[in-house]
Amino acid sequence: MAAVDIPAHPAGATGFAHGALNVGAAWDSKRQRVVLYEGLGDAFTHVLTPSSTDFRAATWTWSRESYGGREPANGQGPIAAADSMQGAWGRWRYVPTLDVFLWTDGPGVTAETEDGATRDAIVQFWAAEGTPM
């Protein structure tokens, strides 16, 4: 295992609005990049793309990707400081066979689902821009 220096967000770029305390990270094997999601109702991810898979020698580029569709879990109502129930740490995964990211709002958090019902612990599927679902 080797440590890799990752650049800070460029000046003027929108960073992690909630302090990056509970960010989920997943390797997108199809697009060769790391996709980070902070949770807390955000409808976008931060993307960190290496210039090559030789991570020690690669240069890294930040970008941001937005998602359409329903509001993410935790998107309804006010949100306090990031905590383990609202952040995405440990609950953001990439599923290569489906080419989607999975996100769950965790147990005990209530959100309205596609059919209009209110449920705890919902799971949402996020697809990269241009990917049909």
Side-chain angles (χ1 to χ4, degrees):
M1 181 184 293
V4 176
D5 289 327
I6 303 298
H9 280 90
T14 304
F16 292 99
H18 309 288
L21 298 176
N22 291 294
V23 174
W27 176 251
D28 180 344
S29 56
K30 182 174 182 175
R31 292 163 195 84
Q32 302 292 295
R33 62 192 190 160
V34 179
V35 180
L36 300 104
Y37 183 56
E38 197 167 15
L40 297 153
D42 290 337
F44 59 88
T45 60
H46 295 275
V47 179
L48 192 55
T49 306
S51 59
S52 76
T53 53
D54 178 359
F55 298 140
R56 290 182 188 165
T59 56
W60 296 80
T61 306
W62 283 105
S63 61
R64 194 168 133 158
E65 191 165 301
S66 296
Y67 293 80
R70 286 190 72 82
E71 242 180 17
N74 296 74
Q76 294 84 14
I79 295 173
D83 65 30
S84 61
M85 290 300 290
Q86 296 173 330
W89 184 60
R91 295 194 298 263
W92 175 251
R93 300 279 193 267
Y94 178 67
V95 182
T97 55
L98 300 174
D99 191 22
V100 298
F101 293 91
L102 293 179
W103 153 248
T104 177
D105 63 353
V109 178
T110 302
E112 187 176 301
T113 58
E114 286 290 337
D115 62 5
T118 300
R119 295 186 172 89
D120 289 343
I122 65 170
V123 174
Q124 292 177 314
F125 296 86
W126 290 37
E129 290 179 12
T131 304
M133 279 191 53

